[in-house]
Amino acid sequence: MLLSFELDTLRGTLAALGLALLYVSSLYIWPQSFHRNHPTSVKQRILSAVLVTMLAPCYLLLFGSTTSIQPQYPLVTWIGLTNPLSAVLPLALTVLLFLGPIFQHFVTGESFFSDYEDYKDVLLARNLIVAPVTEELVFRGCLAPLVIVPLGWATTVATLPLFFGVAHLHHACGLYRQGTPLLRIVTTLLLQTCFTSAFGGFSTLVFLTTGSVIGPILCHMFCNTMGLPDIGSISSSGYSKSIWCAHVLGLVGFLVLSPMLLTCQRFDSMYCNL
């Protein structure tokens, strides 16, 4: 079935907000008996995220039109379940961005999975598989079609990351229940929101440019594997100058090459025709 999406700005924004809230609220339908990293809580939230992600395409169908004179495409094309080879270039750029942390892990011998020693298997499944797949399918594959026509490319790239960033604010509930000081909660959330929003902007650009959600998923998996850069421990590593150089080279290379390589001329994306 061929579809198009022609919502106005208000309807598109509200529809996107509704799906984002559905995803986040589904994580809290379970009794909050354990902290978010407890195996039972993790498994419950995995189930919620998977179910909402499976329902998201049906939600998207509620707003599609089969009679429009505008370009129409299959639902799987709108969601981006196409062209897996387009993921290679965005993933390479993401690896380049993390050149500093990769080099730091290499010279210090620290494991990439040191944060997952407790409840290792279930945390790895959530952070490195379930979260990237479900969040990208929902926040990129199913939200972008709702807002791309009324908002346009630039505003979509700027707006969708806000849905994605705000969707991570619910972590404040867990920190509060653990007795974390308010100032630390605010600082942690600001840093996390900035990081997730920045990644969300890049991921949205990748999705629209390539027309595929595979690239954002793989980039998300890699980012979750690496985590936030451990800037605080660079000075004590014994290789501080080399590590800082790697950080700068990776960031500059990413900023220079991304706009050169992520272009509609390079990929056959249906979003480039809207």
Side-chain angles (χ1 to χ4, degrees), residues 200-212:
F202 173 70
S203 184
T204 302
L205 179 62
V206 169
F207 176 73
L208 295 178
T209 304
T210 65
S212 174

Side-chain angles (χ1 to χ4, degrees), residues 32 36 75 101 134 139 147 178 187 194 217 232 257 262 265:
Q32 303 299 303
R36 64 183 298 268
L75 184 62
T134 61
F139 288 91
V147 299
Q178 294 172 25
T187 304
C194 290
I217 288 174
L257 292 176
L262 295 178
Q265 289 75 19

Side-chain angles (χ1 to χ4, degrees), residues 244-262:
W244 277 118
C245 285
H247 274 82
V248 172
L249 285 174
L251 178 59
V252 172
F254 174 82
L255 293 176
V256 171
L257 292 176
S258 291
M260 294 171 55
L261 299 178
L262 295 178

Side-chain angles (χ1 to χ4, degrees), residues 90-113:
L91 182 59
L93 288 170
T94 306
V95 173
L96 176 61
L97 175 63
F98 280 86
L99 180 62
I102 291 172
F103 181 72
Q104 184 174 352
H105 277 283
F106 176 76
V107 297
T108 60
E110 183 181 352
S111 170
F112 289 110
F113 304 105

Side-chain angles (χ1 to χ4, degrees), residues 23-60:
Y23 182 93
V24 175
S25 61
S26 72
L27 305 178
Y28 289 90
I29 63 173
W30 308 97
Q32 303 299 303
S33 305
F34 308 100
H35 62 80
R36 64 183 298 268
N37 287 337
H38 189 280
T40 300
S41 180
V42 171
K43 292 174 184 177
Q44 290 172 340
R45 292 185 173 195
I46 284 176
L47 178 59
S48 293
V50 170
L51 289 177
V52 171
T53 303
M54 293 174 64
L55 291 173
C58 301
Y59 180 91
L60 197 57

Side-chain angles (χ1 to χ4, degrees), residues 86-98 127-128 131-133 136 140 164 195 199-200 202-207 210 212-227 254 258 262:
S86 66
V88 174
L89 190 53
L91 182 59
L93 288 170
T94 306
V95 173
L96 176 61
L97 175 63
F98 280 86
N127 290 3
L128 306 187
V133 172
E136 294 306 320
R140 242 63 64 185
F164 185 63
F195 185 78
F199 169 78
F202 173 70
S203 184
T204 302
L205 179 62
V206 169
F207 176 73
T210 65
S212 174
V213 76
I214 308 301
I217 288 174
L218 293 180
C219 293
H220 196 154
M221 287 179 173
F222 182 79
C223 287
N224 279 12
T225 300
M226 297 301 301
F254 174 82
S258 291
L262 295 178

